[in-house]
Amino acid sequence: MTPSVPPARRRPGGRTSRIRAQVLDAVRAELAEHGYDGLTMDAVAARAGVHRTTVYRRWRDVGGLLADVFEAASDDDWQPRDTGSLQGDLAALNDEIQAALTAQPSVTAALIAASFRSEEAARAQRRLWEDRYARCEIVVSRAIRRGELPPHTDARRLLIAATAPLYHQLVLLRTPPDPHLPDHAAKTAALAASAGAFAKPPSSGDTSGA
Amino acid sequence: MTPSVPPARRRPGGRTSRIRAQVLDAVRAELAEHGYDGLTMDAVAARAGVHRTTVYRRWRDVGGLLADVFEAASDDDWQPRDTGSLQGDLAALNDEIQAALTAQPSVTAALIAASFRSEEAARAQRRLWEDRYARCEIVVSRAIRRGELPPHTDARRLLIAATAPLYHQLVLLRTPPDPHLPDHAAKTAALAASAGAFAKPPSSGDTSGA
């Protein structure tokens, strides 16, 4: 779900990590400005101020650059906000997603588009989303602890139900952003969850039972 | 939502419409087999058995061909199934969407991918989805007539909540198809709808009220 794709962290000390940060910043900037079609190894090298042979040696091609941008995006300490309620947590998450997808320019949207161009980028996008949804499962476990949800709740289905309408409207249907959508989609998923839509049979995960 | 993109109807009688049907069939086949990158005017003309100057004159470029495929897809009498219940109708719709997105090869998935490549295709995709969601509003009005939903229900939000998880999982997250997802997403949206998630304030649409 990558609410945001932050610049690569600059670890003081490593020349290698400094070069990586410069190169990945350049990839994001080129991608946001020119899209996948304008993204070339040479433009990235020039923008990053790094010798092109370094870029070719380390990242090989545009797919390698994109995969590393996704990889770097996982390398942060992002956590979903804790607002004290399931609906509030989902709304906060959706606010972040909507902001990332509607930024001008949006690196997140450009990366999603690039995932339709490069199999390597698609795999890396999938890994990043997997990482983000896994981190968000705490939203559901907190709600279970508060007694808002039954103990056997399918966290992933709930998170996808809450966030999918934003991606659908902004990325696929390409409708103008609706300022009420983040809250509304959060409320819809929370209502469905309270009504038991994501309850798993108690035997799920046990060895007994079908 | 284009559950399926049927071959263009062959209207007996018109040579022009016969040529259009041949060309659009060829576009779909080339797109499904080779993707956007393999889609060329010349390959389409050859496959359709139509002179290339005809294809260039009538469709100008690949964007024009794609836009016409979307246009032709609206030119059918598709209606959502009437199963007798809101949840059943939404599940039937989701079954069609899942089938279209997971067909091997999937013209629908290839068209969505192409909409990230061509602005003209993106606009045409948007118009087709608008057409499909508008046709699906009858699912909601039937549920209102049956007393399953309050009279002021936001049909579009409900339909998007019901269908978005399928697109999100199959098109963006690229997870393997989950045979339970069509039913589950339908049930989730129906439960949320029963809980009032898509109720609009009664004043909505009136000139009075905020």
Side-chain angles (χ1 to χ4, degrees):
Chain A
M1 76 189 50
T2 181
S4 60
V5 180
R9 285 192 295 180
R10 281 171 189 70
R11 292 194 191 76
R15 181 174 169 275
T16 304
S17 66
R18 206 165 54 242
I19 286 175
R20 182 183 181 217
Q22 283 165 236
V23 167
L24 298 190
D25 282 348
V27 175
R28 282 183 285 262
E30 288 289 317
L31 191 65
E33 282 172 29
H34 308 296
Y36 183 91
D37 284 315
L39 186 66
T40 66
M41 299 294 276
D42 289 355
V44 166
R47 184 166 198 143
V50 169
H51 201 284
R52 59 193 289 282
T53 54
T54 305
V55 177
Y56 278 96
R57 195 171 54 235
R58 179 147 172 197
W59 287 275
R60 203 181 63 257
D61 57 20
V62 163
L65 285 172
L66 286 168
D68 204 28
V69 167
F70 284 109
E71 182 71 30
S74 293
D75 185 25
D76 65 6
D77 52 8
W78 182 85
Q79 291 293 335
R81 282 179 53 202
D82 184 355
T83 69
S85 76
L86 174 64
Q87 186 178 327
D89 285 5
L90 296 174
L93 177 61
N94 278 349
D95 280 337
E96 287 191 63
I97 293 171
Q98 176 133 312
L101 289 173
T102 57
Q104 294 294 340
S106 168
V107 176
T108 303
L111 284 168
I112 292 173
S115 74
F116 286 92
R117 306 296 298 278
S118 151
E119 193 40 58
E120 203 171 347
R123 277 194 303 272
Q125 166 84 76
R126 200 156 52 228
R127 281 194 300 272
L128 176 59
W129 258 320
E130 177 57 38
D131 170 72
R132 291 315 202 207
Y133 277 111
R135 291 193 206 191
C136 286
E137 292 186 2
I138 195 173
V139 163
V140 177
S141 50
R142 285 195 300 242
I144 292 170
R145 271 204 305 278
R146 282 189 303 257
E148 285 189 86
L149 292 176
H152 298 281
T153 293
D154 189 328
R156 191 60 61 98
R157 276 199 200 271
L158 197 169
L159 292 165
I160 286 182
T163 57
L166 278 86
Y167 288 103
H168 196 50
Q169 297 235 11
L170 295 171
V171 178
L172 297 180
L173 304 184
R174 300 177 176 87
T175 47
D178 168 357
H180 303 298
L181 184 59
D183 276 355
H184 194 273
K187 186 182 163 196
T188 300
L191 273 173
S194 303
F198 308 102
K200 290 189 288 194
S203 64
S204 165
D206 294 356
T207 49
S208 61
Chain B
M1 78 188 49
T2 181
S4 60
V5 180
R9 284 192 293 179
R10 281 171 190 72
R11 291 192 190 78
R15 181 173 170 275
T16 305
S17 65
R18 205 165 56 242
I19 287 175
R20 182 185 182 214
Q22 285 165 234
V23 167
L24 298 190
D25 282 349
V27 175
R28 283 182 284 261
E30 288 289 317
L31 192 65
E33 282 173 28
H34 309 297
Y36 183 92
D37 284 315
L39 186 66
T40 66
M41 300 293 276
D42 289 356
V44 166
R47 185 167 199 140
V50 169
H51 202 284
R52 58 194 290 281
T53 54
T54 306
V55 178
Y56 278 96
R57 196 172 51 237
R58 178 148 173 197
W59 286 276
R60 204 180 64 254
D61 57 21
V62 163
L65 284 172
L66 287 168
D68 204 28
V69 168
F70 284 109
E71 183 71 29
S74 292
D75 185 26
D76 65 5
D77 52 7
W78 182 86
Q79 292 292 337
R81 283 180 53 203
D82 184 355
T83 68
S85 75
L86 175 64
Q87 186 178 328
D89 286 4
L90 295 174
L93 177 61
N94 278 349
D95 280 336
E96 287 192 63
I97 293 171
Q98 177 133 311
L101 289 173
T102 56
Q104 295 292 340
S106 169
V107 176
T108 303
L111 284 168
I112 292 173
S115 75
F116 285 92
R117 306 295 296 279
S118 150
E119 193 40 58
E120 204 171 346
R123 278 193 303 271
Q125 167 83 78
R126 200 156 52 226
R127 282 194 300 272
L128 176 59
W129 259 319
E130 176 57 37
D131 170 71
R132 291 314 203 208
Y133 278 111
R135 292 193 205 191
C136 287
E137 292 185 2
I138 195 173
V139 164
V140 177
S141 50
R142 284 196 299 245
I144 292 171
R145 272 204 305 277
R146 282 189 302 259
E148 284 190 88
L149 292 176
H152 298 281
T153 293
D154 190 327
R156 191 60 62 97
R157 277 200 200 270
L158 196 169
L159 291 165
I160 287 181
T163 57
L166 278 87
Y167 289 103
H168 195 51
Q169 297 233 10
L170 295 171
V171 178
L172 297 179
L173 304 184
R174 299 178 179 86
T175 46
D178 168 359
H180 303 298
L181 184 59
D183 277 354
H184 194 274
K187 186 181 163 195
T188 300
L191 274 173
S194 304
F198 309 102
K200 290 189 288 195
S203 64
S204 166
D206 296 354
T207 48
S208 62

